[in-house]
Amino acid sequence: MSNYTMKVEKGVTVQMRDGIRISLCVYRPDAPGRFPALFAASPYQYEMDDVPAFPLFLWRETGPVEWYVGRGYAYVHADVRGSGRSEGEFEFMGLNEQQDYLELIAWIVRQPWCNGRVGGIGQSYYAMAQWLMATYNPPGLACIAPYDGLVDQYRGSNYHGGIYCSYRSVWYTTLRADNQHRLAGRHGRPPMKFDLVGAIIEHPLDDDFWRQRSPYWRLDKIRCPVLSIGHWGKMGLHLRGNILGYEEVKAPKKLVVTGARNTFEAHRMFDQIEFHESELLPFYDLHLKGANNGFMDSEPVKLFVRGANVWRAEEEWPPQRATALIYYLRKGPSGSVTSLNDGGLSTEKPAPDEAPTRYTYPDWEWVNGVAVIGPDGRVDPPRRVLTFTGAPLAADLEVVGPIVLKLHASSTAIDTQFIVKLTDQHPQDSAARAKGEQPAYTPVSKGWLKASHREKDITRSKPERPFYTHTNPRPLTPGEIYEFDLEVLPIAYLFKKGHRIRLELANADSPATDGVFSHPYHPSLMGTDTIHHDGAHASHLMLPVIATE
């Protein structure tokens, strides 16, 4: 129940060290006294805070501002330099913007309405900003709660496994239009001149451009408490960051991973007061108000197990009680799906002489990346890619933790790409299969790797998660068999009895199946790839399995 009415102060400006004035909107209780402050920074224009919090407006990621103010918090929303009403040139989370965060926190702490404690708040861009500001440990920053926020700009968004993703380019085009366009030809802010799209293209390796903007490399410096909240469905953007962020931070921390299946569900969750009331408010009350609520005393990890559709508390991440289950890629057929090869997936090792699986690309039926239109006129994702599908499960199988796919592969080309998808293939009646209908399925996880980027960072790689340098691409020798370890993003998922585990593999994906987090098909991708799965080259999937009672 709200105790305070809200006072709104728009157009408050704060001068930075170089004379640039950053514009803020301050929402605070209309009452005397000092209050803790929540700080949100983005290029999404606080003047747009009045639009309804609908998933239609994906950048409306502040959370329920008035609700927090009613509970005794000030809420400061900043337009980062070069966006909204702030001066300067936008540089996409560059060092100047990072320094601005620190000066704005210092300004907030000095205000007569602030009790000297500031907490980070917000989703996506706001969450990435929180990770960055916390690595500097500015005085007054008492906690952060990055909701849906990556920590590695290169691997988490722009170059998955070294493969260029078009998402950020589309994002920036829309951002610039939102900042500049207004009704009836009226003018918004001056044009955002920074050529982010050009910069992304010009930096295909993990160089200083990305590392300056990626808090991953200094997460161990964070000293304030962290509540990292991710979503299993945000595989192409933030999931990896929330999990790695939790792993690398040495400060008091908690991890929550929800069952949100996509961007829209994750957005809607953050719009709902109920989620803030149960997951975020106790964290803020403890660290910003000193409430004796014991929030940090419970298990540090809270996961939504998809498939079972239940929440589970864990003492650690990844759960050490998980045991590795090996599924070998096999020749097949599985007889359960129509694809290029209909390969199998089995716990039984392949024979020494098992024949490999190969495919030539581009495929003549691919029309939108690797997607094709099936006989029923709908997009048919597995029809023209490689699949390896297991037998119907004899019992429920719960998989919780990071996944690795070990591929033995060769190519006729000097480079290739591996994009893999782990899916839950639902049971299908024999009559539908006989008619060639594809079985229903649920996407579970993804992984990516550009073959020339196979050099590992041995100091950061772990058996359960390979880590690649992405600094030293090396061509393949055509025909030579290489071993590739692919990071498949972590899951908490229950594959039910009678369902099948399916692995899909191709050198690309499609906007029709992967939305804005897809990877354009480059015209140089021509050749034949061979996946080896004989006794000496036993390609396999490693799943962390939790015993169920």
Side-chain angles (χ1 to χ4, degrees), residues 52-61 123 147-148 231 260 262-272:
F54 296 163
L56 172 66
F57 303 113
L58 285 175
W59 41 261
R60 175 71 162 80
E61 298 167 323
Q123 178 179 6
Y147 179 100
D148 203 24
H231 311 277
N262 52 49
T263 299
F264 304 101
E265 289 187 3
H267 188 286
R268 186 179 299 279
M269 200 172 288
F270 199 63
D271 294 335
Q272 304 305 309

Side-chain angles (χ1 to χ4, degrees), residues 288-499:
L288 300 179
K289 291 185 175 182
N292 185 21
N293 58 18
F295 180 77
M296 300 297 285
D297 298 335
S298 60
E299 292 90 342
V301 178
K302 182 178 179 181
L303 309 173
F304 187 85
V305 182
R306 296 179 61 202
N309 297 329
V310 295
W311 284 98
R312 171 136 348 114
E314 296 284 351
E315 290 289 348
E316 59 197 354
W317 175 267
Q320 294 302 304
R321 71 181 192 282
T323 57
L325 178 61
I326 305 299
Y327 272 97
Y328 295 95
L329 279 60
R330 302 296 303 275
K331 189 66 176 179
S334 78
S336 67
V337 63
T338 302
S339 69
L340 281 179
N341 67 317
D342 187 24
L345 201 60
S346 173
T347 56
E348 295 183 7
K349 294 182 179 180
D353 59 349
E354 182 163 312
T357 298
R358 60 176 53 91
Y359 78 111
T360 298
Y361 49 85
D363 185 275
W364 73 277
E365 288 192 48
W366 291 350
V367 293
N368 190 6
V370 302
V372 302
I373 304 300
D376 60 0
R378 293 181 295 180
V379 175
D380 190 345
R383 182 168 291 272
R384 301 298 293 179
V385 301
L386 302 182
T387 62
F388 298 89
T389 310
L393 292 169
D396 289 353
L397 185 70
E398 185 175 306
V399 182
V400 182
I403 299 168
V404 175
L405 173 64
K406 186 177 290 290
L407 276 182
H408 296 269
S410 58
S411 180
T412 61
I414 62 169
D415 203 357
T416 186
Q417 298 177 168
F418 303 109
I419 295 183
V420 301
K421 298 179 182 180
L422 183 65
T423 61
D424 174 0
Q425 183 173 297
H426 300 190
Q428 184 184 38
D429 67 72
S430 56
R433 180 91 289 267
K435 290 189 292 185
E437 297 178 10
Q438 296 282 43
Y441 70 96
T442 300
V444 177
S445 189
K446 299 179 184 178
W448 311 266
L449 182 63
K450 193 175 186 68
S452 60
H453 285 226
R454 62 192 179 277
E455 181 182 84
K456 287 182 181 176
D457 182 335
I458 59 174
T459 64
R460 294 181 179 272
S461 284
K462 300 177 181 179
E464 70 274 14
R465 185 176 58 242
F467 194 99
Y468 290 90
T469 65
H470 298 296
T471 59
N472 183 31
R474 293 173 294 169
L476 301 175
T477 299
E480 183 174 331
I481 300 174
Y482 295 85
E483 181 179 298
F484 302 95
D485 290 343
L486 272 75
E487 173 190 6
V488 181
L489 291 175
I491 64 173
Y493 193 91
L494 181 71
F495 293 90
K496 294 181 180 178
K497 178 181 178 180
H499 289 224

